Amino acid sequence: MAERLNRTFFSRATTMVAQELLGKRLHFNNFSGIITETEAYCGLNDPASHAFRGPTPRAAIMFGEAGFSYVYLIYGMYYCLNFVTETPGIAGAVLIRGLQLDSRHLNGPGKICRHLEITKAHHNIDITQSKNFWVEAAPPLSFIATPRIGIKTAQDRLWRYLAKIS
DNA sequence: ACCCCGATCGTA
DNA sequence: ACGATCGGGGTT
């Protein structure tokens, strides 16, 4: 069985985890695909983050232990998948925005969750332990950094990462 | 209890 | 570029 990303991998700076998740294979139930696009969301000093206002009921998980899934509903109709980063007490999460399946490329967090059928039922799962939800280890890739999508603040922070196709 | 808006998507 | 769509987060 292939090596999986462990707690140590996720318990680091959010931007670094977001960068290094590129090129890794995400396994979820019967699906698997290569992560091609991510975004870093930090805590109290990131106005675009759900954790900006502190550990509210929704954002508390971002202050918790790394390596857990954070799934939330957006626009009343789409789910978005994140993985918690940093050490307990420090908020952080990486949004998964692009996934290359064998058959097709899923661009956009809503499309990924819709296709894989990821819902609130898959929130708060320890992906360093789960049998059907994990990420496979692989070497880092080179990447491009851009502003994050769909937010109005902090456009000066280049925290969206795209795997560079060479 | 309630108001408002969003880490989106599809079509134009 | 813009409208659909609506659950629930944050505040009252």
Side-chain angles (χ1 to χ4, degrees):
Chain A
M1 171 155 164
E3 184 189 351
R4 78 159 63 194
L5 297 183
N6 59 23
R7 187 94 54 219
T8 303
F9 176 91
F10 292 99
S11 304
R12 297 180 296 155
T14 307
T15 50
M16 182 175 299
V17 175
Q19 293 163 9
E20 293 198 9
L21 277 172
L22 297 171
K24 305 287 193 289
R25 181 170 288 272
L26 169 66
H27 295 262
F28 179 79
N29 290 339
N30 297 329
F31 296 98
S32 88
I34 302 292
I35 298 169
T36 61
E37 179 183 345
T38 60
E39 280 177 0
Y41 285 89
C42 300
L44 298 171
N45 52 12
D46 178 5
S49 170
H50 293 160
F52 182 58
R53 296 159 199 280
T56 60
R58 176 174 66 163
I61 187 167
M62 289 182 66
F63 289 82
E65 191 157 41
F68 282 75
S69 61
Y70 168 31
V71 179
Y72 68 88
L73 181 65
I74 188 64
Y75 295 108
M77 53 183 111
Y78 300 109
Y79 291 100
C80 291
L81 170 65
N82 301 251
F83 297 131
V84 175
T85 59
E86 307 276 358
T87 51
I90 309 289
V94 174
L95 173 66
I96 307 300
R97 292 191 52 90
L99 197 65
Q100 179 66 51
L101 301 183
D102 292 339
S103 49
R104 60 181 292 203
H105 186 230
L106 300 172
N107 61 322
K111 293 179 194 174
I112 291 171
C113 289
R114 190 179 58 190
H115 193 271
L116 303 197
E117 296 182 284
I118 291 173
T119 69
K120 211 171 180 179
H122 310 106
H123 173 66
N124 200 18
I125 292 175
D126 186 353
I127 66 158
T128 70
Q129 297 294 124
S130 169
K131 184 174 181 180
N132 342 292
F133 200 0
W134 55 288
V135 183
E136 191 176 332
L141 286 186
S142 56
F143 60 88
I144 296 167
T146 80
R148 293 170 292 181
I149 303 295
I151 58 169
K152 293 168 182 170
T153 59
Q155 285 294 309
D156 56 312
R157 301 180 200 188
L158 307 183
W159 287 351
R160 174 180 179 235
Y161 307 106
L162 300 139
K164 192 184 281 183
I165 44 174
S166 55

